[in-house]
Amino acid sequence: MDEPRHMTPDEFRRCGAALIERIARYMEEVEQYPVLSQAEPGSVRARLPSAAPEQGEPFADLLRDIDEIILPGLTHWQSPNFYAYFPANASGPSILGDLLSSGLGVQGMLWATSPACTELETHVLDWLVDLLGLPQEFKSSAAGGGVIQDSASSSTLTALIAARERASAGAVNEHGAARGPDGAKEPRLTVYTSRHAHSSIEKGVKIAGLGRENLRLVEADECHAMRVDALEAAIAADRAAGAVPAMVCATVGTTSSGAVDPLPAIGALCRREGIWLHVDAAHAGSATICPEHRELIDGLEHADSYTFNPHKWLLTNFDCSCFWVADRAALIEALSVLPEYLRNRATESGAVIDYRDWQIPLGRRFRALKLWFVIRHYGAEGLRAHVRNCVALADWFAAQVEAHDAFALAAPVSAGLVCFRHRAGDALNEALMNRLNESGALYLTHTRLDDRLVLRLAVGGTATRRAHVERAWARIVETAGALSAEEFAA
Ligand SMILES: *Cc1c(COP(=O)(O)O)cnc(C)c1O
């Protein structure tokens, strides 16, 4: 039998140096690529061989295919001209931290499977409680604690399961949630969120087996924030019908328009009613590293759990979603199972955190490394400077929109997100977006607000500077002018 042909440490050193060089060049060149990939469906696969190679290939061939096949099939999320969705920004220290995580190849499911993996994560999440101005109850030194999940969707699902068990006094875990439409023995559990909340809430409700018909999409006000009177009425109606309200999910910075649900009033209501309050600040949460944006989380002291994504706006590569709970016992009770093969003395001593009980999967990567690298490289000051740069650029863009006769803001500017539209109506806005995106010069996406198509410009790129946003605005005005003239000519 042949010996396996592993890459030797020396080969790794040389290939690794070449790859780092390639990434550095990508950082220098990313601005030159069309932001939105111009690839046709199937065009990437058409260039790949139909069968996997029988013999190993040189690393140089791989690098060549990265340039020739992969790069043309990319949408360049790290381009300074990327304004679509929300950012998924990256940074040098984060890439290196992620590489180190791969290099160490650690699996951190239990404290005992790598104590540093767990303790660094707990520690960095405690740091972030202070850096972001979060309630002290979220600290591991209090009754709470933080954990890194792969995504806000997972954070919210985890919160839902903990809330489900609290509301059902452990009954769903024990007996299951499945029951017929009218053969209910146990009370139905209900969940509340605004009609502008992220789709991950509905997905979580489905996965947690609560049933979509038990999710209430609460009406919003003219700023697209949850109406507390409507929430209160929905809770009262469900209680009157014999249901048990299990969770309210409030949003700080909706995906559509950046709307902020009124946490102080929602929190007070949840406290009175004994309902789990989860707060989803996936994008906007990064902003509270600046004291001037802390009002976004006024009222968070009433929350049972909170999530935000450093992998969106805080210079940390996907995937990294931070999740805190005020009462870790509720979470662990809901998710803990202990098979014989995972028993160990550290777990039994009760003196350690086993993060497998804080998430859906068992296994976990050493994600805290990249976050630790980012925080140490930039310092709190550097992270604040990044957020302030983006917010100032969004404010500048919004001021241009307001000053222009043909354009209008469609929502209050929120945490680097500008929602705006051309006054000529949906057809022109859609044509404008498509033409801008096809040009490759920039990339932005849309939403619907008050039944009108609205363009979204989310400023959050690591390399986005004033000159990029100025060029984006000039391009938007010029393209809109050309479209209006074409329509006039037609
Ligand atoms: C992006 C976003 C999510 C989903 O984030 P993932 O980490 O991709 O699951 C959830 N909620 C809000 C408000 C978001 O903006």
Side-chain angles (χ1 to χ4, degrees), residues 277-321:
L277 173 60
H278 175 63
V279 177
D280 173 4
H283 172 257
S286 294
T288 74
I289 196 152
C290 303
E292 68 270 27
H293 296 302
R294 295 268 161 88
E295 84 267 0
L296 285 169
I297 50 168
D298 278 352
L300 190 60
E301 63 279 5
H302 299 304
D304 295 281
S305 53
Y306 179 69
T307 186
F308 96 104
N309 288 352
H311 74 219
K312 277 189 167 154
W313 193 15
L314 210 60
L315 302 165
T316 309
N317 283 58
F318 193 86
D319 54 354
C320 183
S321 175

Side-chain angles (χ1 to χ4, degrees), residues 86 150-154 198 200 251-255 280-283 309 311-312 318 321:
F86 279 134
D150 55 2
S151 64
S153 304
S154 291
H198 192 263
S200 55
T251 310
V252 170
T254 58
T255 316
D280 173 4
H283 172 257
N309 288 352
H311 74 219
K312 277 189 167 154
F318 193 86
S321 175

Side-chain angles (χ1 to χ4, degrees), residues 326-405:
D327 173 17
R328 61 180 173 270
L331 184 65
I332 295 168
E333 241 167 74
L335 291 173
S336 183
V337 280
L338 186 58
E340 186 55 34
Y341 48 80
L342 293 178
R343 283 187 188 280
N344 67 90
R345 267 191 302 182
T347 296
E348 264 143 43
S349 76
V352 301
I353 287 177
D354 289 324
Y355 274 131
R356 67 185 184 116
D357 295 335
W358 295 54
Q359 61 174 24
I360 308 298
L362 170 63
R364 55 204 326 275
R365 306 178 65 229
F366 198 168
R367 293 196 195 91
L369 277 176
K370 60 186 167 190
L371 192 51
W372 190 46
F373 275 33
V374 166
I375 295 171
R376 291 188 64 185
H377 172 86
Y378 286 94
E381 273 184 3
L383 295 173
R384 284 183 207 119
H386 165 66
V387 167
R388 285 177 181 143
N389 174 59
C390 299
V391 168
L393 295 179
D395 288 347
W396 178 86
F397 184 90
Q400 312 311 301
V401 170
E402 284 199 287
H404 198 291
D405 290 344

Side-chain angles (χ1 to χ4, degrees), residues 102 129 305 395 414 431 451 477 488:
S102 295
V129 168
S305 53
D395 288 347
S414 169
D451 213 25
V477 171
F488 191 70

Side-chain angles (χ1 to χ4, degrees), residues 197-262:
H198 192 263
S199 55
S200 55
I201 322 295
E202 179 180 336
K203 195 171 182 179
V205 163
K206 288 165 76 176
I207 298 171
L210 296 174
R212 198 167 48 193
E213 66 179 33
N214 298 312
L215 173 64
R216 308 281 173 260
L217 297 178
V218 179
E219 281 308 309
D221 64 17
E222 66 286 353
C223 292
H224 317 291
M226 196 195 291
R227 271 180 39 199
V228 183
D229 59 334
L231 172 64
E232 194 163 9
I235 291 170
D238 283 327
R239 284 215 196 274
V244 175
M247 183 166 109
V248 173
C249 178
T251 310
V252 170
T254 58
T255 316
S256 191
S257 71
V260 179
D261 292 340

